[in-house]
C-alpha cells in the first residue's frame, strides 16, 4: 500500500481501458507472488549429507571393488530407498501465498470508460473505480468515494464478528498505517465482505501492497522453527557419529595392520561405524510423528506438519482467538429488555414464557431489518421472528447516517402503515424523545448488558397513516419498544476443554480484536477467569519484558491488531514458553506460523489460516485441541521407550562387530547384516512402542520441560544396562558355539538369530517402566503380534530360501541351536525385568514431585 497521500480520481468515468492495461503491465496483477521451493537436485544434495547414507554408499563401493556385486546392490537399494523417502517428505512445501491469492482476488465490477464491466479480481489496478454491492467480496484496498448505508465484514482482518459502518471519504488518505476495524472509516479492504448497502470506491493498493498482502508477506518471512525433538535427535546422532568415527579410524588401522588388507579393514570399519551410529533415531522420530498424524486424523484433526505433534506434549501456553474459536462466529439474540425493565433470555425461555410484549419487541426489530440481509445481527433477529413481515410490503428505507446511528423501515399491511427503527440505544432514545430519569435508567440498562459482553440495539415503532412519507426518520412519532442484546455464543465444548488444559498445566490466554467488555465476559464464560484484560493501546506502551511479565498471570488481550498478536506470541516464546496458537482468520496467520504449534479451525477458518498452521481442526471442535495435547504427550512417552530400546540394541550390534577384532574370531556381521538390522528390524520393532496406549495420568501431569534431553541420564543408564546384558548374552552364544567348532556360516546364522531374539525380548522390557512382566506380555497391542510374525517370517526365509541364505552367508541351524537362541532371549528378559524394580521406584519418586517439573518448565529457566 502506498504511503503517499492519494489524489481524487483522475478519471470521473473511471480509468480508460488503455490506462488500465498500462498500469497492469507496470504494477503487476492484483495477486500475491508464488512461494519459492527447493529443486529436486537441492533435495538430493541435502539427503547426501546424511552420515548413514554415506556409510551405505561407501560400503557398496567397497563391495563392488571386492567383486561382491550382490551385497553392493543390496546396500545400494537401501541407500536409494532412503533418498526416495526423504525427497517425498521434503517435497510437501507450504502453499500459503496460493491461498492468499485465491482469497484476495475475487471478481470485481469496475467502471472503465464510463461503463460498468465485470472483470477478474486479479486484473483490478490502482485507480480503478469498483462498484460494491451487498454480498460482494472487496477486490482491493480502496477509498470510498460514495456509499449508502454500507456495512462491511472485516473479521478476516480484525477478528471482530460484527460488520463495521462505512462513510464516504472527506479528504482522508490511505497509507501503510491505515488498519481495518472500527466504524465510520472511509476505507474498504481486500478480502472483506459487503454485509449491507453499496458504494463506489477508488482502488489505492493491489496485490502485495494491500493489508492482506502485507500479512501474506509477513507469513512467508517467518521461518518455521525446527522442532526441539528433531534438534535433539540430530545432536545425539552427531555425538555418536563423532565418537564412532574415532573408534572406526582406530579399528581400520588395527585391522589393516594385523588382520588383512586395507579394503577389508575399511569394510570392517564401516560395519562398526554403522553399528555405532544410531541413525534409527531420526527414522523412528519420523515414523512416530507420521503415525501420530494418522491417529489424530481419526479424531477429525488434520496434522499439516507432523513435527508439531511432539511439541504439544510440552505446550505451556495456549493462545486462543475469540471469534470463531472460543465462540461460534455467529450472532444470537441473548437478551430482550422491555421499557419497564422486564428481561427475557430467548435461548432458555419456554414458549409460554415469551409474553406478548416480548413478541412485539422482536416483531418490531425484524421489521427494522433488511428482508434479505447479510448482517449477522439481522439474521439472528430473522431467525427469532421469521413471520414478522408476513403480508407486509416495504415502502421505504431510511439508512444509517453518521449523525444518527439508526435505520428505519416503513411497511404497509392491510391499509395500515408502521415505521420500525433500530440502532444505537442513544440514537433510538433521541428519536423517541427519551430524556431525564428515563434516559438515565436506559443508559444503566445498556451498560449492564455491555458489561456482559453483549452488543445492544434499541428498537422503536411509529404508526404511519399512509400520507406522504417524511424526508428523515426524525419526523416520525416513535415510541420506545425496548432493547435487544446480541452475543456471539460460546462453543459448547470450550469450557470443559479449558478446564482440562488447566488440569494439564497448560495456561489459556485469549487474544481478540473485540472490545474489552466482550472479551472479559467470554473469557469468564470459558473458565479462563482473567485477572487483567490488556487492550491494544495499552499493549503499545509495554516493552517485551513487561509484556512477558503480564502474560505470566491469567490474562486476556482485547482490541489487538495482527502485528500485536505476533508480538504476544514472540514475547511468550522469548521467555521460554512453548506456545500453541489457535485462530481462523487472515489476521491470525502470522502468529499461527510463529507459534510452536499453530492450530487453525478447518470449517470456519480461512485458507490462509489453515495453510499457515501446523494443525487444523476439521470439525472446529475446540475440545480436539485437548485430544491433540494428549496425543502429543503419549507420543513423547512412547518415543522415549523406543529410544531406550534403540540405544540398548546398539550395544550387542557394536559388540558383535568389534568382538572378532579383539578375539581373533571370524568377521560375522558385515555391513549388509547391520544395515538389515538397523534399517528394517529396528524401525519395525519400534512401531510396537508407537502403538502403546497412553498412561493413566497423562493429562494430570504438568507440561514436560522442553529443555530436558530426549535421553536423560537415568534413561541412558537404563538403555546401557539393557545393551550390556544383551551383548553378554549374544557374545556368550558366539563364544560357546565357536568353542564347539561350529562352521563360520552356521555360526553367523546362530549369532544373527540370537541377536534378533534378544532384540525381541528388549521390546517386552521397554513396553512400560511401571507395569509387570505379566502385564507387558498380556497388554493388548496388535502391532506387537504383527512385528513378531514379521520377524519370524524374515528369519525363516533367510534359512529356507537358498538365495537369501547365500546373500546373508547363513548356514543351516538345528533345533538345539534355535533352543539356545530362545534361552538367551528369555534369560535377558528375566534379568532385565528384575532390574526394573529400582528404576520403577525412581520413577515413582519423580512423579510425586511435580513441582520440580513445573519449576523446570517456568519462564525463568
Amino acid at each position: 500500500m502506498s504511503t503517499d497521500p492519494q489524489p481524487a480520481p483522475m478519471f470521473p468515468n473511471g480509468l480508460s481501458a488503455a490506462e488500465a492495461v498500462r498500469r497492469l503491465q507496470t504494477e503487476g496483477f492484483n495477486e500475491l507472488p508464488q512461494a519459492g521451493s527447493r529443486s529436486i537436485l537441492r533435495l538430493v544434495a541435502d539427503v547426501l549429507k546424511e552420515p548413514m547414507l554415506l556409510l551405505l554408499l561407501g560400503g557398496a563401493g567397497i563391495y563392488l571393488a571386492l567383486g561382491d556385486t550382490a551385497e553392493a546392490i543390496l546396500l545400494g537399494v537401501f541407500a536409494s530407498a532412503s533418498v526416495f523417502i526423504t525427497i517425498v517428505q521434503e517435497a510437501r512445501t507450504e502453499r500459503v501465498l496460493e491461498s492468499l491469492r485465491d482469497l484476495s482476488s475475487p471478481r470485481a465490477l469496475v467502471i472503465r470508460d464510463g461503463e460498468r464491466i465485470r472483470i477478474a479480481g486479479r486484473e483490478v489496478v490502482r485507480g480503478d473505480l469498483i462498484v460494491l454491492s451487498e454480498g460482494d467480496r472487496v477486490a482491493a484496498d480502496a477509498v470510498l468515494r460514495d456509499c449508502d448505508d454500507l456495512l462491511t465484514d472485516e473479521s478476516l482482518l480484525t477478528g471482530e464478528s460484527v460488520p463495521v459502518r462505512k462513510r464516504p471519504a472527506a479528504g482522508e488518505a490511505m497509507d501503510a498505517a491505515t488498519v481495518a476495524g472500527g466504524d465510520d472509516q472511509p476505507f474498504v479492504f481486500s478480502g472483506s465482505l459487503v454485509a449491507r448497502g453499496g458504494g463506489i470506491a477508488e482502488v489505492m493498493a493491489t496485490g502485495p501492497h494491500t493489508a492482506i498482502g502485507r500479512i501474506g508477506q509477513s507469513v512467508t518471512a517467518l521461518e518455521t522453527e525446527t522442532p526441539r525433538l528433531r534438534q535433539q535427535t540430530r545432536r545425539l546422532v552427531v555425538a555418536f557419529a563423532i565418537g564412532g568415527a574415532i573408534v572406526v579410524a582406530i579399528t581400520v588401522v588395527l585391522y589393516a595392520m594385523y588382520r588383512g588388507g586395507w579394503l577389508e579393514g575399511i569394510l570392517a570399519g564401516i560395519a562398526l561405524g554403522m553399528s555405532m551410529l544410531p541413525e534409527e533415531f531420526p527414522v523412528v522420530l519420523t515414523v512416530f510423528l507420521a503415525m501420530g498424524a494418522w491417529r489424530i486424523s481419526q479424531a477429525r484433526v488434520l496434522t499439516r506438519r507432523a513435527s508439531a505433534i511432539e511439541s504439544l506434549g510440552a505446550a505451556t501456553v495456549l493462545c486462543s482467538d475469540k471469534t470463531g474459536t472460543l465462540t461460534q462466529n455467529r450472532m444470537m439474540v441473548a437478551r430482550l429488555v422491555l421499557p419497564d425493565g422486564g428481561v427475557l433470555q430467548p435461548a432458555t425461555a419456554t414458549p409460554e414464557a415469551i409474553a406478548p410484549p416480548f413478541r412485539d419487541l422482536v416483531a418490531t426489530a425484524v421489521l427494522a431489518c433488511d428482508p434479505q440481509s447479510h448482517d449477522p445481527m439481522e439474521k439472528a433477529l430473522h431467525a427469532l421472528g421469521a413471520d414478522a413481515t408476513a403480508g407486509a410490503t416495504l415502502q421505504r428505507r431510511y439508512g444509517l447516517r453518521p449523525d444518527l446511528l439508526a435505520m428505519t423501515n416503513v411497511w404497509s399491511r392491510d391499509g395500515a402503515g408502521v415505521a420500525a427503527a433500530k440502532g444505537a440505544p442513544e440514537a433510538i432514545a433521541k428519536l423517541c424523545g427519551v430524556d431525564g430519569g428515563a434516559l438515565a435508567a436506559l443508559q444503566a440498562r445498556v451498560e449492564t448488558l455491555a458489561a456482559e459482553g453483549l452488543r445492544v440495539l434499541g428498537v422503536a415503532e411509529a404508526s404511519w397513516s399512509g400520507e406522504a412519507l417524511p424526508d428523515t426518520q426524525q419526523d416520525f412519532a416513535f415510541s420506545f419498544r425496548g432493547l435487544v442484546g446480541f452475543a456471539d455464543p460460546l462453543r459448547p465444548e470450550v469450557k470443559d476443554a479449558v478446564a482440562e488444559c488447566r488440569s494439564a498445566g497448560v495456561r489459556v490466554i485469549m487474544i481478540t480484536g473485540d472490545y474489552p467488555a466482550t472479551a472479559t465476559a467470554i473469557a469468564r464464560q470459558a473458565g479462563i477467569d482473567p485477572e487483567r484484560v490488556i487492550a491494544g493501546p495499552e499493549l503499545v506502551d509495554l516493552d517485551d519484558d513487561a509484556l512477558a511479565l503480564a502474560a505470566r498471570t491469567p490474562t486476556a488481550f482485547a482490541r489487538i491488531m495482527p502485528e500485536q498478536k505476533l508480538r504476544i506470541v514472540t514475547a511468550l516464546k522469548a521467555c521460554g514458553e512453548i506456545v500453541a496458537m489457535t485462530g481462523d482468520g487472515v489476521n491470525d496467520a502470522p502468529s499461527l506460523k510463529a507459534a510452536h504449534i499453530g492450530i487453525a479451525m478447518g470449517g470456519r477458518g480461512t485458507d490462509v489460516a489453515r495453510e499457515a498452521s501446523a494443525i487444523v481442526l476439521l470439525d472446529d471442535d475446540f475440545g480436539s485441541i485437548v485430544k491433540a495435547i494428549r496425543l502429543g504427550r503419549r507420543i513423547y512417552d512412547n518415543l522415549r521407550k523406543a529410544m531406550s530400546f534403540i540405544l540398548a540394541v546398539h550395544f550387542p550390534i557394536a559388540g558383535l562387530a568389534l568382538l572378532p577384532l579383539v578375539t581373533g574370531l571370524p568377521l560375522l556381521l558385515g555391513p549388509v547384516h547391520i544395515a538389515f538390522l538397523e534399517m528394517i528390524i529396528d524401525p519395525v520393532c519400534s512401531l510396537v512402542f508407537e502403538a502403546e496406549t497412553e498412561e493413566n495420568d497423562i493429562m494430570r501431569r504438568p507440561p514436560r520441560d522442553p529443555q530436558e534431553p530426549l535421553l536423560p541420564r537415568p534413561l541412558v543408564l537404563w538403555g546401557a544396562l539393557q545393551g550390556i546384558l544383551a551383548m553378554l548374552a549374544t557374545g556368550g552364544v558366539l563364544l560357546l558355539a565357536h568353542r564347539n567348532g561350529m562352521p563360520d556360516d552356521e555360526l553367523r546364522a546362530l549369532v544373527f538369530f540370537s541377536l534378533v531374539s534378544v532384540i525381541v525380548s528388549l521390546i517386552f522390557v521397554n513396553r512400560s517402566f511401571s507395569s509387570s512382566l505379566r502385564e507387558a506380555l498380556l497388554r493388548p497391542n496388535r502391532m506387537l503380534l504383527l512385528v513378531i510374525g514379521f520377524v519370524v517370517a524374515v528369519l525363516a526365509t533367510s534359512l529356507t530360501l537358498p538365495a537369501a541364505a547365500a546373500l546373508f552367508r547363513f548356514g543351516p541351524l538345528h533345533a538345539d541351536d534355535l533352543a539356545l537362541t530362545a534361552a538367551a532371549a528369555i534369560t535377558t528378559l528375566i534379568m532385565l525385568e528384575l532390574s526394573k524394580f529400582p528404576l520403577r521406584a525412581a520413577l515413582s519418586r519423580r512423579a510425586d514431585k511435580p513441582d520440580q517439573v513445573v519449576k523446570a518448565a517456568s519462564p525463568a529457566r
Side-chain angles (χ1 to χ4, degrees):
M1 185 181 294
S2 172
T3 58
D4 297 326
Q6 302 298 328
M10 296 176 57
F11 306 96
N13 293 325
L15 296 177
S16 66
E19 177 63 17
V21 170
R22 187 190 69 79
R23 294 192 181 188
L24 191 63
Q25 293 173 344
T26 302
E27 301 176 5
F29 286 106
N30 179 31
E31 60 186 10
L32 299 179
Q34 291 260 11
S37 59
R38 289 189 293 172
S39 64
I40 295 297
L41 292 178
R42 173 70 182 277
L43 291 175
V44 173
D46 290 342
V47 173
L48 291 176
K49 298 175 183 177
E50 294 294 331
M52 179 62 79
L53 181 62
L54 295 177
L55 288 173
L56 286 173
L57 293 176
I62 293 174
Y63 272 122
L64 198 60
L66 293 174
D68 196 335
T69 307
E71 296 205 23
I73 292 175
L74 183 59
L75 290 182
V77 169
F78 286 147
S80 300
S82 177
V83 172
F84 175 76
I85 292 172
T86 305
I87 288 176
V88 169
Q89 291 173 343
E90 294 295 329
R92 301 169 62 188
T93 57
E94 291 293 325
R95 299 301 179 196
V96 177
L97 293 183
E98 289 186 2
S99 297
L100 279 169
R101 181 186 304 108
D102 293 340
L103 183 60
S104 62
S105 186
R107 298 202 44 96
L109 182 65
V110 300
I111 300 175
R112 289 184 181 172
D113 292 322
E115 296 184 1
R116 298 190 177 192
I117 59 173
R118 192 167 293 279
I119 61 174
R122 68 192 300 264
E123 297 175 5
V124 171
V125 297
R126 183 177 53 83
D128 260 329
L129 293 181
I130 54 176
V131 180
L132 303 175
S133 301
E134 190 169 312
D136 285 349
R137 184 75 67 177
V138 180
D141 287 6
V143 175
L144 284 163
R145 299 304 178 194
D146 182 41
C147 67
D148 178 34
D149 195 18
L150 179 63
L151 297 180
T152 63
D153 180 352
E154 297 175 352
S155 59
L156 295 182
L157 292 166
T158 66
E160 294 186 44
S161 55
V162 178
V164 291
R165 187 173 56 251
K166 297 296 179 181
R167 63 171 175 81
E172 294 91 344
M174 196 177 210
D175 56 32
T178 304
V179 295
D183 288 322
D184 296 323
Q185 280 198 10
F187 312 116
V188 290
F189 298 88
S190 177
S192 58
L193 179 71
V194 178
R196 189 172 72 205
I200 297 177
E202 181 187 0
V203 174
M204 294 297 171
T206 60
H209 304 294
T210 61
I212 196 174
R214 292 199 303 275
I215 291 176
Q217 289 175 320
S218 68
V219 170
T220 55
L222 292 170
E223 293 292 334
T224 302
E225 184 171 306
T226 303
R228 293 172 187 259
L229 285 187
R230 199 170 296 280
Q231 294 174 355
Q232 291 182 2
T233 54
R234 189 176 298 162
R235 286 195 293 267
L236 280 173
V237 173
V238 170
F240 275 94
I242 293 173
I246 297 173
V247 176
V248 166
I250 297 173
T251 301
V252 171
V253 174
L254 293 177
Y255 194 98
M257 292 176 61
Y258 298 107
R259 295 290 301 273
W262 284 97
L263 280 179
E264 289 78 2
I266 294 174
L267 201 60
I270 288 176
L272 182 58
M274 292 174 63
S275 68
M276 297 184 66
L277 183 65
E279 184 69 11
E280 308 95 331
F281 281 173
V283 173
V284 168
L285 179 61
T286 301
V287 169
F288 267 58
L289 298 182
M291 290 297 295
W294 174 80
R295 290 185 187 280
I296 201 172
S297 70
Q298 306 304 299
R300 301 286 295 161
V301 178
L302 172 65
T303 306
R304 298 191 60 257
R305 287 189 290 275
S307 58
I309 296 178
E310 47 97 351
S311 298
L312 283 166
T316 58
V317 173
L318 172 58
C319 295
S320 176
D321 183 38
K322 178 186 72 69
T323 304
T325 305
L326 295 177
T327 65
Q328 300 178 28
N329 196 22
R330 66 177 181 86
M331 302 304 288
M332 63 173 288
V333 177
R335 298 285 191 282
L336 296 174
V337 182
L338 297 176
D340 61 4
V343 179
L344 178 72
Q345 298 185 32
T348 59
T350 61
E352 297 77 16
I354 304 179
F358 289 110
R359 286 197 292 268
D360 292 343
L361 172 58
V362 171
T364 303
V366 172
L367 289 173
C369 299
D370 284 344
Q372 304 293 328
S373 179
H374 293 266
D375 185 317
M377 288 193 288
E378 293 191 344
K379 290 168 70 175
L381 286 169
H382 278 294
L384 195 61
D387 58 349
T389 59
T393 304
L394 182 62
Q395 299 295 319
R396 181 170 175 177
R397 293 178 53 201
Y398 297 86
L400 291 169
R401 291 293 180 266
D403 60 336
L404 183 66
L405 301 181
M407 63 174 293
T408 299
N409 287 342
V410 182
W411 299 81
S412 64
R413 178 188 289 155
D414 299 329
V418 61
K422 67 176 177 63
E426 62 273 16
I428 295 298
K430 182 178 178 181
L431 284 177
C432 298
V434 178
D435 56 12
L439 180 60
L442 175 63
Q443 290 173 338
R445 292 182 189 126
V446 171
E447 290 172 1
T448 300
L449 295 173
E452 298 179 37
L454 304 182
R455 309 268 181 170
V456 184
L457 293 180
V459 178
E461 184 180 20
S463 60
W464 168 54
S465 63
E467 300 174 358
L469 290 170
D471 294 331
T472 65
Q473 303 174 68
Q474 290 91 328
D475 294 329
F476 287 99
F478 282 108
S479 297
F480 184 65
R481 287 290 178 262
L483 299 173
V484 181
F486 298 86
D488 185 0
L490 195 73
R491 291 179 178 274
E493 73 277 1
V494 165
K495 193 168 184 177
D496 290 340
V498 170
E500 192 163 1
C501 283
R502 297 178 74 171
S503 71
V506 181
R507 292 191 297 119
V508 180
I509 296 177
M510 187 176 74
I511 305 174
T512 178
D514 218 328
Y515 292 94
T518 305
T520 302
I522 292 296
R524 287 174 178 166
Q525 292 176 34
I528 297 174
D529 298 327
E531 295 177 3
R532 181 182 180 187
V533 177
I534 300 176
E538 182 183 355
L539 183 62
V540 173
D541 298 329
L542 297 177
D543 59 24
D544 289 343
D545 292 338
L547 174 58
L549 181 63
R552 290 175 188 172
T553 59
T555 304
F557 294 89
R559 301 304 290 167
I560 297 299
M561 301 306 297
E563 60 274 11
Q564 292 178 320
K565 288 188 178 185
L566 179 59
R567 188 180 163 214
I568 293 169
V569 171
T570 304
L572 288 168
K573 290 173 61 179
C575 67
E577 302 283 3
I578 303 301
V579 183
M581 171 73 189
T582 71
D584 61 352
V586 174
N587 62 316
D588 297 321
S591 50
L592 284 172
K593 189 168 184 180
H596 294 100
I597 314 112
I599 307 172
M601 298 294 155
R604 298 180 184 271
T606 62
D607 287 343
V608 182
R610 287 193 291 266
E611 292 296 326
S613 66
I615 294 174
V616 179
L617 308 182
L618 297 179
D619 53 6
D620 288 1
D621 185 352
F622 188 84
S624 297
I625 298 175
V626 178
K627 298 176 185 176
I629 291 175
R630 181 185 293 112
L631 180 63
R633 294 187 174 195
R634 166 185 160 178
I635 288 173
Y636 188 78
D637 281 355
N638 291 341
L639 182 61
R640 279 194 160 181
K641 297 173 185 177
M643 294 299 185
S644 174
F645 163 76
I646 292 170
L647 180 63
V649 164
H650 275 271
F651 277 85
I653 295 177
L656 291 175
L658 191 60
L659 193 61
L661 179 63
V662 177
T663 61
L665 294 171
L667 186 64
L668 297 178
L669 298 184
V672 169
H673 304 95
I674 295 174
F676 185 82
L677 284 170
E678 295 190 358
M679 297 194 69
I680 297 180
I681 292 186
D682 285 358
V684 169
C685 289
S686 297
L687 291 176
V688 174
F689 301 111
E690 191 282 327
E692 286 296 328
T693 56
E694 63 196 41
E695 304 294 337
N696 293 332
D697 66 340
I698 200 164
M699 288 302 287
R700 295 193 298 273
R701 312 173 195 162
R704 64 177 174 84
D705 181 2
Q707 302 300 330
E708 185 181 30
L710 180 60
L711 287 176
R713 183 177 299 176
L715 202 59
V716 171
L717 294 177
W718 170 238
L721 175 62
Q722 296 179 70
I724 291 171
L725 289 177
M727 183 172 61
L728 292 176
T730 51
V733 170
L734 169 61
L735 294 176
L736 179 63
H738 180 68
R739 180 176 298 176
N740 291 334
M742 180 175 282
D744 289 352
D745 288 349
E746 295 182 18
L747 184 62
R748 181 176 291 109
L750 177 64
V751 170
F752 189 82
F753 272 53
S754 299
L755 179 58
V756 173
S757 300
V758 168
I759 288 174
V760 172
S761 72
L762 294 182
I763 296 177
F764 288 97
V765 171
N766 286 281
R767 288 188 68 188
S768 174
F769 293 127
S770 56
S771 62
S772 65
L773 176 59
R774 179 177 178 275
E775 291 173 338
L777 292 173
L778 299 179
R779 193 175 181 178
N781 188 329
R782 185 172 58 181
M783 187 59 67
L784 175 61
L785 299 178
L786 294 176
V787 165
I788 292 176
F790 171 79
V791 170
V792 170
V794 168
L795 294 179
T797 302
S798 67
L799 279 182
T800 59
L801 189 65
L807 181 61
F808 286 95
R809 299 179 185 176
F810 284 168
L813 292 180
H814 306 91
D816 56 342
D817 299 324
L818 297 178
L820 182 61
T821 64
I826 293 173
T827 301
T828 302
L829 177 61
I830 293 175
M831 293 183 66
L832 287 174
E833 278 297 321
L834 293 176
S835 302
K836 285 173 65 174
F837 286 101
L839 175 67
R840 189 174 302 151
L843 289 175
S844 298
R845 286 195 301 271
R846 185 174 184 179
D848 292 338
K849 299 179 180 179
D851 291 344
Q852 296 179 0
V853 184
V854 174
K855 183 178 180 181
S858 70
R861 64 178 174 267

